Amino acid sequence: MSTLVSLFADSRKVRLVVFALMLVLFILGAGAPEDAGGFFQKGYKSGNHIHFTNILSDPEINASAQGVNCSGSACNNTDPGTTGCNADAATVHRKVFTNTEVQLRFSDTCQTRWSKTINKASINFYGNATLRYYYYGAVYLGPGYSVYSNQRFGMGYQACGKVGASPMNYLINDADKCTAVY
């Protein structure tokens, strides 16, 4: 009987150690260095700047934490994430094709539009988000990660984008890679 109790106590200790190790790995994964592209991070690029956000504090998920600091044409060529414009953003048009989801995003508060491209592949690829004829962002993305174009005030824009094996440091304007106009 004492052997059975001892064996049960040891298996509880093993389970506790395994649980503790899994918890540590989870915490380290969520707090990975910004340039490591950890599992719990999303990547965004606008203009010449790439930044990663821990999804637990992603402005699209935690919109109330963001304050809007521009509106109208004052937002032109700025990052919707850092200006707070994505706090009330809605996807007004979406297009999905091979390894790619392209969204045309709109902020009612800022009256701006921008493109968001998501890597739908199961491996790392390059991604490009283009606000047709104006701005693009291009970056190397992990599966499920996103890239934003900069935003622009006004109406009549399309979101274009692409995910693929080669860098795309140019505007994507192919009609089959673009959403409807808004």
Side-chain angles (χ1 to χ4, degrees):
M1 179 72 170
S2 67
T3 304
L4 185 60
V5 170
S6 175
L7 184 59
F8 179 72
D10 287 342
S11 69
R12 286 182 63 189
K13 288 178 186 175
V14 168
R15 285 188 297 202
L16 183 60
V17 168
V18 169
F19 175 76
L21 286 172
M22 289 173 56
L23 184 61
V24 167
L25 289 174
F26 175 79
I27 291 168
L28 289 176
E34 289 184 6
D35 60 350
F39 180 78
F40 296 101
Q41 294 181 339
K42 280 181 138 179
Y44 299 100
K45 179 175 181 178
S46 62
N48 295 323
H49 305 289
I50 299 173
H51 57 280
F52 288 91
T53 304
N54 183 314
I55 63 172
L56 301 175
S57 61
D58 186 332
E60 287 186 25
I61 296 168
N62 187 11
S64 63
Q66 291 291 323
V68 176
N69 60 26
C70 71
S71 65
S73 62
C75 295
N76 282 351
N77 200 24
T78 60
D79 182 336
T82 59
T83 60
C85 292
N86 66 340
D88 73 340
T91 299
V92 292
H93 292 297
R94 174 185 322 242
K95 184 155 191 173
V96 178
F97 50 95
T98 309
N99 299 325
T100 307
E101 180 177 335
V102 178
Q103 298 176 358
L104 179 58
R105 306 281 290 163
F106 171 72
S107 167
D108 193 46
T109 302
C110 298
Q111 293 296 302
T112 56
R113 289 151 176 82
W114 62 92
S115 176
K116 177 180 180 180
T117 299
I118 303 166
N119 178 2
K120 301 297 274 182
S122 60
I123 60 173
N124 292 347
F125 268 134
Y126 293 92
N128 179 305
T130 297
L131 187 61
R132 193 161 190 184
Y133 303 124
Y134 286 96
Y135 310 122
Y136 76 92
V139 68
Y140 192 65
L141 299 170
Y145 286 47
S146 304
V147 59
Y148 285 164
S149 70
N150 280 356
Q151 60 189 338
R152 186 150 179 96
F153 170 70
M155 301 183 320
Y157 297 108
Q158 286 179 286
C160 305
K162 187 176 176 184
V163 171
S166 302
M168 295 164 276
N169 293 317
Y170 50 85
L171 293 170
I172 303 289
N173 288 314
D174 305 332
D176 65 328
K177 306 282 188 255
C178 300
T179 66
V181 175
Y182 181 74

